[in-house]
Amino acid sequence: MIDYRIDRGSGVPAYVQIIEQTERALRMGTLRVGDKLPTAREVVAATAINPNTVLRAYRDMEQAGLVELRRGLGTFVTRSLARPEAESDSPLRQKVADWVARARDAGLERADVLALVTAALDVYDNEHDSTTPGDRERKKENA
Amino acid sequence: MIDYRIDRGSGVPAYVQIIEQTERALRMGTLRVGDKLPTAREVVAATAINPNTVLRAYRDMEQAGLVELRRGLGTFVTRSLARPEAESDSPLRQKVADWVARARDAGLERADVLALVTAALDVYDNEHDSTTPGDRERKKENA
Amino acid sequence: MIDYRIDRGSGVPAYVQIIEQTERALRMGTLRVGDKLPTAREVVAATAINPNTVLRAYRDMEQAGLVELRRGLGTFVTRSLARPEAESDSPLRQKVADWVARARDAGLERADVLALVTAALDVYDNEHDSTTPGDRERKKENA
Amino acid sequence: MIDYRIDRGSGVPAYVQIIEQTERALRMGTLRVGDKLPTAREVVAATAINPNTVLRAYRDMEQAGLVELRRGLGTFVTRSLARPEAESDSPLRQKVADWVARARDAGLERADVLALVTAALDVYDNEHDSTTPGDRERKKENA
DNA sequence: GTGGTCTAGACCACA
DNA sequence: GTGGTCTAGACCACA
């Protein structure tokens, strides 16, 4: 069961944080089609945010076609965003685990790690921008 | 000069995006103490957000001790967040560039890449949580 | 409930006046941890300044760790600045009440009274400056 | 010669700080009719603010009838705000010096001291408000 | 209902 | 010219 963590004070709206964390779990395959999301009540208990806020996030994801709200039953994943390359035994995932460990062991904070990756993404995308015109989702995804 | 990209519709407030991008540049050493940030007018020209929104971001960073707003002169970096491990010729940076290239070449989107890294960070931090009690900045940094 | 008075035309920004008055109340113990500040709407009704201006003041105080803004609930004091020496039954407070009464009865205006105290502070601090190097908050507090 | 101290970051405009400090000196008798204020150039050297800012303050005080700007000569005090009760050998001044010393020795900061005095003024003025209707300058002076 | 973001626009402070 | 304050007003986030 996905375990949401809300960072009040990050400036990012709570419902956006729920959506982001859900999408990440979908991409990682942690959450699969048919899986049940926690009830609003459960999220409230874990995060101290208001049930309406949770429902707002779930409703947004329903409109995006990711989940389905079934009255009286719960909220269920209806679409996968999983990538075979992101599976837990993939070499890509092994490698990033090694790299992250190295970075953290060297004293870098989570934010440093994410800054490094974002910078690397920017470099890659700039280089492949004019070359690969089909690659339109680049920059906009995580500006 | 840092070049802000605002993703309207990400749900993340524009002023938060400016702060996040500035902090990333500080961590990467792209922005150094004494550097001038773009004027509110320049950001407006580049991003079509309102000058007040830019100033809100700059003011928040001033209160955080990162920059100084000098009337009539501009806004200047006053504190470094740079890490030697994040320098452009560091092995860590080389490695992440390689890994990102592989991931993107395999067809993963930016969001997939960031999801993989975040998941790796979570795994690492969970493993080192109870072991390394000084490591208190974990989860909260990027919930 | 604290009752803000805005002196338009003093040249001091309205949001600064709100912060100053709040901090004074915190120092005096008039406002304690957990107390609720008036809502932006209430301040607007009482002072005829714009809600955004009130929120600017509250936000600044939140970043200073003095209060917490809770959406939908209100703004609450989170830190005390109270000094036991400033309690209402302290001899110090008795004495200053006597002195102020004498000064006012002698025809001095509020500004005269504050000028006298500021001058006395300057004299004291100059005398104890080089002597007490730990006393670094002197002059800067109220220039 | 009066020695201005500008607290950048207090939120109070620099020219207002100059006026406030000048008025305090006038009330205390530190500055008397005929005295010369420092030249803009001198203030700039001491405070690192722009000469125009100093001139703005001087011009405002000229319009208030406190000083006179004589081209090529300097700026001179033309009106006294001094009160006999505030003279350096007055009992009122002795007393406040004692009280301030006590308060500071007890560990109170400048801001605590000023908060105590302001609170005492508020109490006094509230009590004498309805009683002494001629006392119209009360609250407004230092809101 | 309470706070939060953002805008357009006026006007001010400072260099 | 650059930042700073304030406003009125629209709309959103959260309780």
Side-chain angles (χ1 to χ4, degrees):
Chain A
M1 176 79 72
I2 189 169
D3 175 31
Y4 297 116
R5 313 257 163 165
I6 302 306
D7 182 5
R8 320 168 92 62
S10 72
V12 180
Y15 84 95
V16 172
Q17 295 186 41
I18 290 180
I19 295 172
E20 287 174 346
Q21 290 171 38
T22 308
E23 283 195 12
R24 273 208 301 268
L26 290 171
R27 287 177 189 278
M28 299 305 293
T30 309
L31 228 41
R32 295 150 183 273
V33 169
D35 282 358
K36 187 172 184 286
L37 296 189
T39 64
R41 197 181 295 273
E42 286 165 343
V43 177
V44 166
T47 63
I49 65 177
N50 188 285
N52 289 333
T53 304
V54 184
L55 290 176
R56 161 75 198 268
Y58 285 6
R59 248 183 274 118
D60 278 16
M61 290 193 286
E62 186 172 46
Q63 289 205 314
L66 297 177
V67 305
E68 190 183 0
L69 279 68
R70 300 197 205 132
R71 290 217 149 210
L73 291 179
T75 302
F76 298 87
V77 173
T78 53
R79 203 173 100 206
S80 170
L81 297 176
R83 295 298 213 128
E85 299 84 357
E87 264 166 30
S88 60
D89 55 351
S90 82
L92 226 38
R93 206 151 157 183
Q94 291 289 352
K95 291 229 156 122
V96 77
D98 289 350
W99 179 81
V100 160
R102 229 171 261 219
R104 292 295 263 144
D105 288 342
L108 296 187
E109 296 175 3
R110 276 181 78 97
D112 291 318
V113 168
L114 290 165
L116 275 166
V117 174
T118 303
L121 279 166
D122 287 345
V123 169
Y124 180 93
D125 291 347
N126 274 333
E127 283 170 1
H128 294 66
D129 198 9
S130 34
T131 332
T132 324
D135 225 7
R136 273 294 149 259
E137 32 81 55
R138 310 153 299 107
K139 229 30 92 30
K140 311 185 75 170
E141 280 170 38
N142 211 289
Chain B
M1 176 78 74
I2 189 170
D3 175 30
Y4 298 115
R5 311 260 163 161
I6 301 307
D7 181 6
R8 324 168 84 68
S10 73
V12 179
Y15 82 94
V16 172
Q17 295 186 41
I18 290 181
I19 294 172
E20 287 174 347
Q21 289 171 40
T22 309
E23 282 196 13
R24 272 207 303 266
L26 290 171
R27 288 178 187 278
M28 299 305 293
T30 310
L31 225 42
R32 296 148 182 272
V33 169
D35 282 356
K36 188 173 185 287
L37 296 189
T39 66
R41 276 163 184 72
E42 286 166 343
V43 177
V44 166
T47 64
I49 64 177
N50 188 285
N52 289 335
T53 303
V54 183
L55 289 176
R56 161 80 196 268
Y58 285 7
R59 229 188 286 124
D60 278 14
M61 291 193 285
E62 184 172 48
Q63 290 200 314
L66 297 178
V67 306
E68 191 183 358
L69 313 212
R70 298 199 206 130
R71 277 195 184 188
L73 291 181
T75 301
F76 299 86
V77 173
T78 53
R79 203 172 100 206
S80 171
L81 298 176
R83 296 297 214 130
E85 297 86 357
E87 265 167 28
S88 60
D89 54 351
S90 83
L92 226 36
R93 208 153 156 181
Q94 291 287 352
K95 292 228 156 122
V96 77
D98 290 349
W99 179 82
V100 159
R102 231 173 259 217
R104 292 295 263 142
D105 288 343
L108 296 186
E109 297 175 2
R110 277 179 78 99
D112 291 318
V113 168
L114 290 165
L116 274 167
V117 174
T118 303
L121 278 166
D122 287 346
V123 169
Y124 180 93
D125 291 348
N126 275 333
E127 282 170 3
H128 293 67
D129 197 8
S130 35
T131 333
T132 324
D135 227 6
R136 276 290 150 265
E137 34 79 55
R138 314 154 297 108
K139 234 20 102 27
K140 312 185 76 168
E141 279 170 37
N142 214 289
Chain C
M1 177 77 74
I2 189 170
D3 176 31
Y4 298 115
R5 313 259 164 163
I6 302 307
D7 181 6
R8 324 168 83 67
S10 73
V12 180
Y15 83 93
V16 172
Q17 295 186 41
I18 289 181
I19 294 172
E20 287 174 348
Q21 289 172 39
T22 308
E23 281 195 13
R24 275 209 300 268
L26 289 171
R27 288 177 186 279
M28 300 305 294
T30 309
L31 226 41
R32 296 149 183 272
V33 169
D35 282 358
K36 186 174 187 287
L37 296 189
T39 66
R41 277 162 182 74
E42 286 167 343
V43 177
V44 166
T47 63
I49 64 178
N50 187 285
N52 288 335
T53 304
V54 183
L55 290 176
R56 161 80 198 267
Y58 284 7
R59 230 188 287 124
D60 278 15
M61 291 193 285
E62 184 173 48
Q63 290 200 313
L66 297 179
V67 306
E68 190 183 358
L69 313 213
R70 298 198 207 132
R71 277 195 181 187
L73 291 179
T75 302
F76 300 86
V77 173
T78 52
R79 203 172 101 206
S80 171
L81 298 176
R83 295 297 214 129
E85 298 85 358
E87 264 166 29
S88 61
D89 55 350
S90 83
L92 226 38
R93 207 152 156 183
Q94 291 288 352
K95 292 228 156 123
V96 76
D98 290 350
W99 179 81
V100 159
R102 229 173 262 217
R104 292 295 263 141
D105 289 342
L108 295 186
E109 295 174 4
R110 276 179 78 98
D112 291 318
V113 167
L114 290 165
L116 275 166
V117 174
T118 302
L121 278 166
D122 287 345
V123 168
Y124 179 94
D125 290 347
N126 274 333
E127 282 170 3
H128 293 66
D129 197 9
S130 35
T131 332
T132 323
D135 226 6
R136 276 289 151 264
E137 33 82 54
R138 313 152 299 108
K139 234 22 103 28
K140 311 185 74 169
E141 280 170 37
N142 213 288
Chain D
M1 176 76 74
I2 188 169
D3 175 30
Y4 297 116
R5 311 257 164 166
I6 302 306
D7 181 6
R8 319 168 92 66
S10 72
V12 180
Y15 84 94
V16 173
Q17 295 186 41
I18 290 180
I19 295 172
E20 286 175 347
Q21 289 172 38
T22 309
E23 282 195 13
R24 273 209 300 270
L26 291 170
R27 288 178 187 278
M28 299 305 294
T30 311
L31 226 42
R32 296 149 184 274
V33 170
D35 281 358
K36 187 173 185 286
L37 296 189
T39 63
R41 194 181 297 270
E42 284 164 345
V43 177
V44 165
T47 63
I49 64 178
N50 188 285
N52 290 333
T53 304
V54 183
L55 291 176
R56 160 76 196 268
Y58 285 6
R59 250 182 271 116
D60 277 15
M61 291 194 285
E62 186 172 46
Q63 288 203 315
L66 297 177
V67 306
E68 190 182 1
L69 278 68
R70 300 198 206 130
R71 289 217 150 210
L73 291 178
T75 303
F76 299 86
V77 174
T78 52
R79 203 173 99 206
S80 171
L81 298 175
R83 296 297 214 128
E85 299 84 356
E87 264 166 30
S88 60
D89 54 352
S90 83
L92 225 38
R93 205 151 157 181
Q94 291 289 351
K95 291 230 155 123
V96 77
D98 289 351
W99 179 82
V100 159
R102 231 173 259 218
R104 292 295 262 144
D105 289 343
L108 295 186
E109 296 175 5
R110 278 180 77 98
D112 291 317
V113 167
L114 290 165
L116 275 165
V117 174
T118 303
L121 279 165
D122 288 345
V123 168
Y124 180 93
D125 291 348
N126 274 334
E127 282 169 2
H128 294 67
D129 197 9
S130 35
T131 333
T132 323
D135 226 6
R136 275 293 149 258
E137 34 79 55
R138 313 154 297 107
K139 225 39 87 32
K140 312 185 74 168
E141 280 170 35
N142 212 288

